[in-house]
Amino acid sequence: MDSQRAKARALEAEITALRRACIETQEPGDDDSQVRKSFQETYQSDSEEWRSSKDLRNHLESLESELQFLSGLTGISIRNYCKKTEDLTSTEMAEKSIKKVLQRHRLSGNCHMITFQLEFQILEIQDKESLSSVITDLSIIMEPNEYSELSEFVSRAEEKRDLLMFFRSLRCFVEWCDYRKRTFEHFKRVNLYLLAVNFEFILLGDSFKLVQTNKEKYPEAVQLSEGASSSCMGIRNPSQPGFELVIVWRIEIDEQGKVLPKLDLLTKVPLRALELDKNRVIETAPLSFRTLLGVLGIEATLESLIKSLCTEESS
């Protein structure tokens, strides 16, 4: 885009110079027909240059529109970009009509809340029949963030020099992180809402009074130790101290770049409760949790856990 803008500005400067030269080179007393002929030639040349400049502007606007569309579609925004080209074609290659070019690219951008910088090289070899290109070097710099899962993934992407996998997996990873955050926030909000409905206004005589009702007892149960971006959610029942369920929600990226959510259940119970658990319910809880995930899905499973631990019946 920068090169297109520079070319448009160069064309405009050339048009201005041609007009100035046309005016300055006209001497008094020149033949009128010669003046008209010179003016017509200059006007025709200017018109062609202006058309070319207009085409460049239209092309530039089209590229910017496409870039905005792709940014909205993928969630990836490119802020800065530069490119340098080096011709590596030797004399022997030129004689065989082979062209070898090395492109050096540098860009920076972000995918939602994650920012990155990329430097990579592309080697292009073109002959009479085909054109091949390959990424010969890839360096990825990620701004500090709370997602430790990205470190190993970035190293694999650099080793494989797989730029497509990096962008595709990063976008999917960010979407899962956003879904995890919204899910945890949902249960936190729902929990606070259910606390609120434990109270209601009741008409007493001629006035209303705020009193606590017994329709639902759903105490403050959900704990996010690291805020909404946490990978863990704790569920506790204040009326049963010592009992706690911890949902560990990791987002992993495998060797092929596939993004997979992984949820596990950890239990924390008093030793006396373990001794009384003859049916091994607590011991098999993690396995039962994974089975429940496959049947109900993430949100319904988490909600069922909260209810089972914190309702009046479970107490």
Side-chain angles (χ1 to χ4, degrees):
M1 290 186 183
D2 291 339
S3 62
Q4 297 284 3
R5 291 194 183 97
K7 192 172 182 180
R9 287 194 294 267
L11 289 172
E12 291 174 354
E14 187 176 348
I15 291 168
T16 303
L18 286 171
R19 284 177 172 168
R20 186 182 301 111
C22 179
I23 295 173
E24 292 175 353
T25 54
Q26 297 304 322
E27 297 292 339
D30 280 349
D31 183 70
D32 289 344
S33 62
Q34 184 66 26
V35 173
R36 283 195 296 271
K37 181 179 180 182
S38 176
F39 178 77
Q40 289 172 356
E41 290 175 352
T42 304
Y43 177 77
Q44 182 179 1
S45 175
D46 286 355
S47 299
E48 292 174 357
E49 295 291 352
W50 276 112
R51 281 197 297 271
S52 178
S53 177
K54 185 177 181 180
D55 290 342
L56 283 173
R57 288 195 185 93
N58 291 337
H59 183 57
L60 181 60
E61 291 174 358
S62 176
L63 289 176
E64 289 176 340
S65 177
E66 289 180 9
L67 184 59
Q68 290 177 357
F69 171 76
L70 289 174
S71 296
L73 183 66
T74 63
I76 297 174
S77 300
I78 305 300
R79 297 193 306 270
N80 297 296
Y81 170 75
C82 66
K83 170 185 172 183
K84 294 181 179 180
T85 302
E86 181 181 355
D87 191 352
L88 302 180
T89 306
S90 64
T91 304
E92 184 180 353
M93 291 179 178
E95 292 175 353
K96 297 180 181 180
S97 299
I98 299 175
K99 188 175 181 181
K100 189 176 182 180
V101 175
L102 181 66
Q103 299 177 359
R104 293 185 175 90
H105 301 262
R106 178 183 296 174
L107 61 88
S108 62
N110 65 280
C111 183
H112 297 280
M113 64 285 192
I114 296 178
T115 58
F116 56 83
Q117 296 179 24
L118 297 178
E119 293 184 8
F120 58 96
Q121 296 182 169
I122 298 179
L123 180 63
E124 288 188 349
I125 301 178
Q126 183 176 10
D127 55 25
K128 295 180 180 179
E129 299 179 352
S130 62
L131 171 65
S132 63
S133 60
V134 61
I135 297 177
T136 59
D137 185 59
L138 174 61
S139 175
I140 304 172
I141 302 174
M142 304 289 291
E143 295 295 330
N145 58 73
E146 66 270 27
Y147 303 109
S148 58
E149 303 96 328
L150 286 176
S151 178
E152 186 177 349
F153 161 67
V154 168
S155 298
R156 286 201 304 268
E158 288 179 329
E159 183 181 352
K160 294 182 177 181
R161 300 190 293 274
D162 196 333
L163 200 57
L164 178 60
M165 182 185 75
F166 170 75
F167 283 116
R168 183 181 61 239
S169 301
L170 178 64
R171 173 177 176 266
C172 190
F173 177 84
V174 169
E175 288 179 347
W176 269 108
C177 288
D178 182 60
Y179 175 61
R180 178 177 64 187
K181 179 180 178 181
R182 287 187 287 109
T183 302
F184 283 171
E185 285 181 336
H186 162 73
F187 285 110
K188 192 69 174 174
R189 286 195 301 267
V190 168
N191 187 38
L192 293 175
Y193 169 76
L194 289 173
L195 272 174
V197 299
N198 286 338
F199 300 85
E200 66 178 16
F201 285 101
I202 296 180
L203 181 61
L204 296 176
D206 296 330
S207 62
F208 285 96
K209 184 178 180 181
L210 182 63
V211 298
Q212 184 172 1
T213 68
N214 293 320
K215 289 195 298 184
E216 268 189 286
K217 289 187 177 180
Y218 203 60
E220 181 72 12
V222 175
Q223 306 291 327
L224 301 177
S225 57
E226 301 175 5
S229 298
S230 173
S231 60
C232 299
M233 183 178 79
I235 306 173
R236 304 170 186 169
N237 188 339
S239 64
Q240 297 292 326
F243 285 88
E244 182 178 2
L245 301 179
V246 179
I247 310 299
V248 181
W249 186 344
R250 294 186 295 271
I251 301 171
E252 299 180 348
I253 307 176
D254 67 10
E255 293 287 339
Q256 287 71 42
K258 187 175 181 181
V259 181
L260 303 168
K262 186 175 181 181
L263 286 85
D264 290 303
L265 175 67
L266 304 179
T267 60
K268 180 182 178 182
V269 298
L271 179 60
R272 179 58 177 164
L274 287 174
E275 294 173 351
L276 295 174
D277 185 16
K278 304 302 182 181
N279 294 325
R280 301 173 55 242
V281 174
I282 297 173
E283 181 182 342
T284 59
L287 179 59
S288 301
F289 173 74
R290 285 191 286 270
T291 303
L292 204 60
L293 281 172
V295 176
L296 299 180
I298 295 175
E299 293 186 21
T301 299
L302 296 182
E303 186 171 2
S304 67
L305 285 178
I306 296 173
K307 289 182 176 180
S308 65
L309 186 65
C310 302
T311 58
E312 199 172 65
E313 289 79 4
S314 66
S315 299

